[in-house]
Amino acid sequence: MSQSVGLERPEQMRGKDIFRVERDVLDELKLEEVTQRKSYADIHSSLMRRLPVLYWLPKYSVWDYGMPDLISGISVGIMHLPQGMAYALLASLPPVFGLYSSLYPALVYFFFGTSRHVSIGTFTVLSIMVGSVTERLAPDVDFQKANGTNITAEVDVTARDSYRVQVAAATTVLGGLIQVLLGVVKFGFVGTYLSEPLVRAYTTAAAAHAVVAQLKYIFGVSPTRFSGPLSLVYVKLTGFLHIPHLCTSLSSPSVPDVNLFGEVIGDAFALAIVGYAITISLGKTFALKHGYKVDSNQELVALGLSNTVGGFFQCFSVCSSMSRSLIQDTTGVKTQMAGVASSLIVLVIILKLGTLFQELPKAVLSAVVFVNLKGMFKQYYDIITLWRSSKIDLVVWLVTWVSTLLLNLDLGLAASVTFAVFTVIFRTQLPTYSVLGNIPGTELYVDIEMHREARGIPGVTIFRSSATVYFANADLYLEALKEKSGLNISKMIIYKRRQEAKQKRRERRAERRAKRQAKREVMFSILFSFQLLSFGVTAASLLAHCIFLSYGRWEYLKGGDPDCTSLGWMSELQDGDTTTLGSSSEDTLSQDLERMSLGSLGKWTWDIHSIILDLSTANFIDTVAIKTMKNIFQDFSEIDVDVYMAGCQASVVEQLEHGDFFSEKITKRRLFASVHDAVLHCLNHRGATTIPRYEPAILLTHEVLVDKNNRIAISKQKNITTKHLFTVA
């Protein structure tokens, strides 16, 4: 017997492609035998995953890719100059450190990154977040110069900037280490908690912070910055700014001050999450456009190493930039080699062209920031779009925007993510529960209430939840199953147990009757013997006793009791036999239960013999849900209803195994690869006698007869493996 005979596609018939598949019905045990699942080591052990440059660099074609990568690198390298210097001002650092941040991290990403189009370097939002940390830990008031006993209003800019660089480097290194750690333990999915509405609202609010931060350079004033909540509101203006000078040399590596880690760990974590979310979203966007794949966990490691190494060279936190990445895309970039070319351009600017920008006013750099913020301010149109498409996403957008404006960037991000998680929990608490029916002629099953052509399977209820079953909605899942199946399990169990008790009482009555009959026979034998041995017994008395014996036997055979005057009547009453009195009360109770069964109990076991739980929407199952599933199997087995699972992912099956779900009564034979496999098993196992013609085109290895009512009568044959043949039009 073959496990599968494959898939064939015959010629078109009447304009439709007809697919025919013949295979065994697959439960979980058979599926594991057929698929031969790989081990964890076979899937995850690969050096190229950790160092992607080893995969694509040996295949690099200078003839095909060299010129596009060079043009893209030069274009982006030129953009790094104004953006790096301007974003350094947002970080409250000297402009040259923006160029450092455009040089070293891009070289590290070249070796470890998997995206061909993103440009790693300075970014507006991260620069603002770094600026909030540096100004909080190194405010101007801490560096005012002292003239004897008097403290002047003049600030020691050199000492202040030196300490701010240390703060920025420590924050960047710590954020990079957090990213590497999350990537190693496969936590690349954390970025998915930052949904697109949340990220766009966050960057929009960050743009407002950037505008306020640049006002002092535009108008030549020196404001007093505040930190913490509502810092955007409290801005105090005094004085004029000095024109910066640009250093024209590379910095030597140095170990960051680890004593600062405790003060910046919260900011470092926020920088790590925001930077990764922006990078992976851009990377996946361009990968989808150009037909390749980016590794989420490897991108987290690559970005973390870029920040960690950059922090040792006094760089501040970096990520991908939308504007530079778009330039790389439009100029035809092919590989990560463009990042090397852009880094070389930045290196030349730092070493040879830096003197040309020594007298550059900060107002010019602020104007560059304003121009780059134009796209972020256009994101206010999201309010109109989300109002039409999703009210929940609109609420997430507004809450993120308000909290980021009022609570600053770090606390605002924490509040936004918390609120977004609560919206997810709220929606999983209110999933859609549905009963599925079959689309005639296919193996597809859809919601009966939503589709007119869906047909229910006789005797089978197919139940599905639109959300994963876990501790927060497990009870709701159980209640919805009872409601959709129409089976009041608790009442039906009570009814069944009463019926069993009633049957036991009948058996006990029959046993007592048998004992009474045995006693009568003994008494009759003794009496008869005594009559024969008695002296002077007349023929009339002997005839009377014979008639009495015959009458007693006849009454017993009819099911009634002999006359009260018969022997043994008092002993029977003393034995507690209340048959005559109790039978009427039990008949009344039985009639009441029968009426209840027709009214409140809903469908009966002879209407539904099987329930199939479609778990194709579940990507995990916790211990609470496992206990709920066990209770479902046990409760429905009490009323002779079989329960099966279908569509379980491999991870869900593993979690069921670890949770001790399987036992002698609940085996993997209860799990099926698809709903259709489970349906076929139910129809065969519980002895379906008729299947309407509108049901799936199921050809079972049974004797099939079609009656005059166009119904298929199936006569089961033993020791024959069930196969099915379905048609997809």
Side-chain angles (χ1 to χ4, degrees):
M1 178 182 67
S2 62
Q3 294 291 342
S4 176
V5 295
L7 172 70
E8 61 179 78
R9 181 177 179 177
E11 61 185 25
Q12 287 190 348
M13 300 175 60
R14 298 182 180 179
K16 296 181 180 180
D17 291 332
I18 306 298
F19 294 87
R20 298 186 182 275
V21 178
E22 184 179 0
R23 62 171 175 81
D24 291 340
V25 174
L26 296 178
D27 55 32
E28 185 62 29
L29 289 177
K30 291 183 179 179
L31 183 62
E32 291 178 358
E33 294 176 1
V34 172
T35 57
Q36 297 294 318
R37 186 186 304 169
K38 294 182 179 179
S39 65
Y40 183 87
D42 295 335
I43 300 174
H44 295 87
S45 60
S46 175
L47 178 61
M48 293 183 181
R49 282 179 170 269
R50 296 301 182 190
L51 201 61
V53 68
L54 297 179
Y55 174 76
W56 63 266
L57 188 59
K59 304 176 183 179
Y60 189 83
S61 173
V62 178
W63 182 260
D64 296 330
Y65 303 148
M67 187 57 65
D69 287 345
L70 180 62
I71 295 175
S72 296
I74 294 174
S75 303
V76 173
I78 295 173
M79 289 185 66
H80 273 301
L81 173 62
Q83 287 188 354
M85 296 174 63
Y87 294 160
L89 297 184
L90 291 178
S92 298
L93 299 173
V96 69
F97 290 93
L99 296 181
Y100 295 158
S101 302
S102 302
L103 171 62
Y104 298 107
L107 291 176
V108 176
Y109 185 83
F110 165 79
F111 293 98
F112 298 95
T114 59
S115 176
R116 308 170 190 170
H117 291 80
V118 298
S119 173
I120 299 297
T122 57
F123 186 65
T124 312
V125 176
L126 295 190
S127 301
I128 299 171
M129 296 175 70
V130 173
S132 65
V133 181
T134 56
E135 294 197 1
R136 185 184 76 241
L137 298 182
D140 290 342
V141 294
D142 292 350
F143 298 93
Q144 291 180 347
K145 293 182 179 179
N147 185 9
T149 58
N150 298 325
I151 298 178
T152 65
E154 187 177 356
V155 178
D156 188 349
V157 177
T158 303
R160 181 201 65 186
D161 289 348
S162 177
Y163 188 68
R164 286 183 175 178
V165 169
Q166 295 181 37
V167 173
T171 306
T172 301
V173 170
L174 183 57
L177 292 176
I178 292 174
Q179 289 173 328
V180 172
L181 178 62
L182 293 178
V184 169
V185 298
K186 307 296 182 182
F187 263 62
F189 67 87
V190 294
T192 60
Y193 284 96
L194 302 181
S195 61
E196 183 179 0
L198 189 149
V199 173
R200 291 175 68 87
Y202 185 81
T203 55
T204 303
H209 284 274
V211 168
V212 174
Q214 296 303 300
L215 289 178
K216 60 182 180 181
Y217 303 120
I218 292 292
F219 296 104
V221 295
S222 180
T224 301
R225 286 290 299 272
F226 296 86
S227 61
L230 301 179
S231 61
L232 187 66
V233 180
Y234 300 107
V235 179
K236 182 180 179 182
L237 301 179
T238 61
F240 293 89
L241 299 175
H242 300 284
I243 297 177
H245 294 276
L246 185 65
C247 178
T248 57
S249 63
L250 292 176
S251 61
S252 58
S254 62
V255 179
D257 187 359
V258 295
N259 296 323
L260 294 171
F261 282 2
E263 300 182 64
V264 301
I265 185 170
D267 303 279
F269 187 82
L271 284 165
I273 298 301
V274 173
Y276 170 69
I278 294 172
T279 301
I280 195 62
S281 60
L282 287 177
K284 288 186 176 181
T285 299
F286 288 112
L288 181 63
K289 178 181 178 181
H290 294 278
Y292 65 94
K293 184 180 180 181
V294 294
D295 189 329
S296 300
N297 293 307
Q298 182 60 29
E299 283 296 295
L300 194 52
V301 172
L303 188 61
L305 291 175
S306 299
N307 279 313
T308 302
V309 175
F312 282 93
F313 289 92
Q314 291 80 52
C315 300
F316 55 89
S317 294
V318 298
C319 67
S320 61
S321 167
M322 171 66 79
S323 58
R324 295 194 303 270
S325 299
L326 286 174
I327 291 297
Q328 284 201 159
D329 182 36
T330 55
T331 52
V333 66
K334 299 297 183 181
T335 66
Q336 291 92 317
M337 192 66 73
V340 178
S342 64
S343 299
L344 293 176
I345 298 297
V346 174
L347 180 62
V348 172
I349 293 174
I350 294 175
L351 297 179
K352 300 299 182 182
L353 303 179
T355 55
L356 300 178
F357 303 96
Q358 285 185 355
E359 301 301 324
L360 183 67
K362 289 186 177 180
V364 175
L365 301 180
S366 298
V368 173
V369 173
F370 279 11
V371 171
N372 285 279
L373 292 177
K374 179 180 65 174
M376 292 187 181
F377 285 114
K378 289 183 178 180
Q379 293 177 161
Y380 282 105
Y381 286 109
D382 291 351
I383 298 177
I384 300 175
T385 303
L386 294 176
W387 173 262
R388 297 171 179 172
S389 58
S390 175
K391 301 298 189 300
I392 295 180
D393 287 341
L394 175 61
V395 173
V396 172
W397 197 102
L398 294 175
V399 170
T400 302
W401 183 79
V402 172
S403 60
T404 304
L405 281 181
L406 300 182
L407 303 179
N408 217 337
L409 297 175
D410 49 357
L411 295 179
L413 177 64
S416 304
V417 172
T418 302
F419 181 79
V421 170
F422 272 115
T423 61
V424 175
I425 295 175
F426 175 77
R427 280 183 277 188
T428 58
Q429 287 276 13
L430 299 174
T432 301
Y433 299 107
S434 55
V435 174
L436 306 185
N438 177 257
I439 299 177
T442 73
E443 67 162 358
L444 304 178
Y445 293 82
V446 294
D447 189 350
I448 291 180
E449 296 180 358
M450 301 294 294
H451 301 83
R452 294 189 182 92
E453 294 300 321
R455 300 291 185 265
I457 305 299
V460 180
T461 295
I462 308 170
F463 181 75
R464 181 174 65 188
S465 171
S466 61
T468 296
V469 185
Y470 69 114
F471 69 93
N473 61 10
D475 291 338
L476 300 176
Y477 183 88
L478 178 57
E479 294 300 323
L481 174 60
K482 294 178 181 178
E483 178 184 354
K484 292 290 186 179
S485 63
L487 299 177
N488 192 323
I489 299 179
S490 58
K491 290 185 178 180
M492 295 180 71
I493 292 177
I494 293 174
Y495 175 80
K496 181 181 178 182
R497 290 176 179 174
R498 287 181 177 177
Q499 291 293 94
E500 292 175 351
K502 183 178 178 181
Q503 180 63 25
K504 290 181 180 179
R505 288 196 298 270
R506 290 174 178 172
E507 293 175 356
R508 287 197 298 268
R509 284 201 303 270
E511 184 179 355
R512 287 196 297 268
R513 287 177 179 174
K515 290 181 179 179
R516 289 197 300 270
Q517 175 62 17
K519 290 180 181 179
R520 289 191 183 103
E521 290 180 353
V522 172
M523 292 296 296
F524 293 156
S525 300
I526 294 174
L527 181 60
F528 182 73
S529 299
F530 180 78
Q531 295 287 346
L532 291 177
L533 296 175
S534 297
F535 179 75
V537 178
T538 61
S541 61
L542 181 60
L543 179 60
H545 282 291
C546 292
I547 295 173
F548 172 78
L549 292 176
S550 301
Y551 176 76
R553 290 180 178 272
W554 173 250
E555 287 295 323
Y556 179 78
L557 291 176
K558 291 195 301 181
D561 288 334
D563 189 75
C564 300
T565 59
S566 64
L567 293 178
W569 179 82
M570 290 299 295
S571 62
E572 293 170 8
L573 185 61
Q574 291 174 358
D575 287 342
D577 186 10
T578 56
T579 304
T580 305
L581 183 63
S583 60
S584 60
S585 61
E586 288 193 358
D587 292 340
T588 303
L589 176 61
S590 178
Q591 293 174 1
D592 293 339
L593 289 175
E594 291 296 339
R595 288 195 295 269
M596 183 174 64
S597 68
L598 296 176
S600 62
L601 295 186
K603 299 179 181 178
W604 274 109
T605 54
W606 49 81
D607 292 331
I608 296 177
H609 55 71
S610 302
I611 290 179
I612 300 173
L613 305 179
D614 182 7
L615 298 182
S616 58
T617 59
N619 56 356
F620 75 95
I621 185 169
D622 60 7
T623 56
V624 177
I626 290 176
K627 291 180 180 178
T628 301
M629 293 298 174
K630 281 186 176 180
N631 293 335
I632 290 175
F633 275 78
Q634 294 172 358
D635 291 346
F636 280 97
S637 66
E638 288 279 341
I639 57 175
D640 298 327
V641 175
D642 295 334
V643 181
Y644 302 92
M645 293 180 176
C648 295
Q649 300 182 18
S651 59
V652 174
V653 177
E654 291 179 0
Q655 291 163 1
L656 290 173
E657 292 175 342
H658 297 324
D660 295 329
F661 175 77
F662 299 106
S663 62
E664 294 182 359
K665 294 183 178 180
I666 307 176
T667 67
K668 287 188 177 181
R669 298 291 185 186
R670 296 291 188 99
L671 274 65
F672 288 88
S674 68
V675 173
H676 196 57
D677 290 85
V679 169
L680 293 173
H681 174 80
C682 292
L683 295 179
N684 180 48
H685 178 66
R686 294 303 291 258
T689 56
T690 60
I691 300 179
R693 182 170 289 277
Y694 55 73
E695 295 299 333
I698 305 174
L699 297 184
L700 302 172
T701 54
H702 299 119
E703 181 182 357
V704 180
L705 300 175
V706 180
D707 61 13
K708 62 180 180 180
N709 296 322
N710 289 328
R711 293 188 298 180
I712 301 176
I714 300 179
S715 175
K716 296 203 309 180
Q717 298 178 7
K718 297 182 179 180
N719 300 324
I720 299 180
T721 303
T722 302
K723 295 178 178 291
H724 65 277
L725 184 67
F726 54 86
T727 304
V728 181

